Amino acid sequence: YRILPVTTPLHRAMTVSVRAFVPENLQPHTVLAARNVKGRLTCIGGKYADGAVTATTRTTGELFVVADTIPPRIRPLFTEGADLTRAPAMRFRVGDNFSGIASCTLFIDGKWVPCDRFPMKGTLVHFFDAPAQRRTHAVRLSVTDGCGNATHFEGTFYR
């Protein structure tokens, strides 16, 4: 669907509904997307319900119904069992191909711990606040994108 030229600015957001048949297994992952001035698809967001995807946006131009089924990527920036005794933090590289990272949850030894996300660098960092215990720890990171796709990393480190 096309709503005005892509270069037309809107002063207020509009609510857009695009009717489309979407197979039931793809409905939870379906959003609206737009083609930007460089021709690339960008995620607008929204939800599929009652045969249409509805989103609020200031984006004009070509709009598409897209199902994002690819989960985010996680790459630890340390090796399995690495000695992080002297490290001030534990780092991960995280990314998503389309809808972006929506949430990150980090557990060390089964206990939730805070982490900082740096989207411009594509990193997730947990700064250690307790002194090193000099033992092996289990780490679990769960990352979910804007369409509900999730991926998990489990590993160990020494600290």
Side-chain angles (χ1 to χ4, degrees):
Y1 295 92
R2 182 176 297 212
I3 301 173
L4 303 170
V6 71
T7 55
T8 304
L10 294 179
H11 294 288
R12 288 192 208 129
M14 62 179 168
T15 300
V16 178
S17 289
V18 176
R19 290 205 156 291
F21 169 76
V22 177
E24 192 172 330
N25 63 323
L26 296 178
Q27 291 175 7
H29 306 286
T30 302
V31 294
L32 284 182
R35 189 174 308 279
N36 65 18
V37 292
K38 294 182 180 179
R40 298 189 66 189
L41 284 183
T42 59
C43 183
I44 293 175
K47 295 284 181 195
Y48 183 88
D50 301 323
V53 181
T54 303
T56 301
T57 183
R58 287 183 169 204
T59 303
T60 57
E62 295 179 76
L63 300 181
F64 304 89
V65 173
V66 177
D68 178 3
T69 59
I70 299 173
R73 298 172 309 282
I74 300 174
R75 185 172 55 98
L77 297 177
F78 58 93
T79 58
E80 176 67 20
D83 185 354
L84 302 180
T85 304
R86 295 179 185 249
M90 175 174 36
R91 299 174 190 281
F92 298 88
R93 175 104 36 226
V94 295
D96 188 63
N97 70 323
F98 182 68
S99 58
I101 303 295
S103 68
C104 303
T105 309
L106 181 64
F107 292 91
I108 296 178
D109 296 332
K111 180 182 172 191
W112 176 87
V113 293
C115 53
D116 294 320
R117 189 167 150 242
F118 299 94
M120 295 300 285
K121 293 183 178 183
T123 57
L124 187 72
V125 181
H126 167 68
F127 292 96
F128 297 117
D129 57 354
Q133 298 172 338
R134 303 214 179 269
R135 67 180 182 88
T136 300
H137 299 275
V139 61
R140 177 176 168 84
L141 174 62
S142 298
V143 178
T144 305
D145 71 10
C147 288
N149 302 302
T151 191
H152 309 282
F153 165 81
E154 291 186 14
T156 61
F157 66 95
Y158 181 84
R159 184 168 198 284

